[in-house]
Amino acid sequence: MASNIMRPAFAYTVVYVKDVAKSVEFYSRAFGHNVRRLDESHMWGELESGQTTIAFTPRHQHETDDLTGKVQATHSDPERAPIEVCFCYPDVDAAFKRAVENGAVAVSEPEDKEWGQKVGYVRDIDGIVVRIGSHVK
């Protein structure tokens, strides 16, 4: 039997953004997540999203740039970051509409996919692609 030490829980996804406070506010409004924390320095923010936390931190900060390297941003609209944030909703059309009404940029209207999921795509305020989809049937 495997010990619990070899079965970790997925704790965080960290999204590197231009402005932590604006991103936390945007994700809260556009995708319906509650803000768990936004520190006073605005160098860290968290949203409640079930068992995994979505966290936001600035793209550039002395602590991580020097330790693990600088975050590379995309340079134009056709490019996309090497991450995609995905949310599942029971009503994909309503969730897509809410996101766009709250500042997301529509990329692809929701449509039924051959693998049994309805999916639409938007970009957040930093240009990161966000997938709005249903659970796979």
Side-chain angles (χ1 to χ4, degrees), residues 73-125:
T74 59
H75 300 288
S76 66
D77 279 344
E79 294 180 341
R80 62 185 178 129
I83 184 171
E84 184 175 287
V85 178
C86 304
F87 299 116
C88 288
Y89 294 93
D91 186 339
V92 175
D93 294 313
F96 184 90
K97 181 179 177 187
R98 175 188 176 154
V100 172
E101 287 174 347
N102 283 284
V105 176
V107 174
S108 174
E109 295 280 332
E111 64 181 9
D112 292 319
K113 300 295 185 179
E114 61 271 10
W115 57 84
Q117 188 179 34
K118 188 170 193 174
V119 176
Y121 294 92
V122 298
R123 285 186 186 267
D124 74 3
I125 60 175

Side-chain angles (χ1 to χ4, degrees), residues 6 37 90 97:
M6 298 307 292
R37 181 170 85 114
K97 181 179 177 187

Side-chain angles (χ1 to χ4, degrees), residues 18-128:
K18 293 176 193 169
D19 185 309
V20 173
K22 284 182 181 177
S23 291
V24 167
E25 179 186 350
F26 168 78
Y27 273 78
S28 176
R29 282 184 295 113
F31 303 109
H33 295 289
N34 292 325
V35 178
R36 175 182 293 157
R37 181 170 85 114
L38 177 60
D39 74 6
E40 290 180 18
S41 70
H42 291 185
M43 296 290 284
W44 186 261
E46 297 177 355
L47 297 175
E48 294 177 358
S49 61
Q51 294 179 348
T52 303
T53 299
I54 302 169
F56 299 89
T57 196
R59 286 186 186 163
H60 300 291
Q61 48 186 299
H62 174 72
E63 299 84 10
T64 55
D65 284 357
D66 291 346
L67 182 63
T68 59
K70 293 181 179 179
V71 172
Q72 300 297 312
T74 59
H75 300 288
S76 66
D77 279 344
E79 294 180 341
R80 62 185 178 129
I83 184 171
E84 184 175 287
V85 178
C86 304
F87 299 116
C88 288
Y89 294 93
D91 186 339
V92 175
D93 294 313
F96 184 90
K97 181 179 177 187
R98 175 188 176 154
V100 172
E101 287 174 347
N102 283 284
V105 176
V107 174
S108 174
E109 295 280 332
E111 64 181 9
D112 292 319
K113 300 295 185 179
E114 61 271 10
W115 57 84
Q117 188 179 34
K118 188 170 193 174
V119 176
Y121 294 92
V122 298
R123 285 186 186 267
D124 74 3
I125 60 175
D126 282 293
I128 295 170

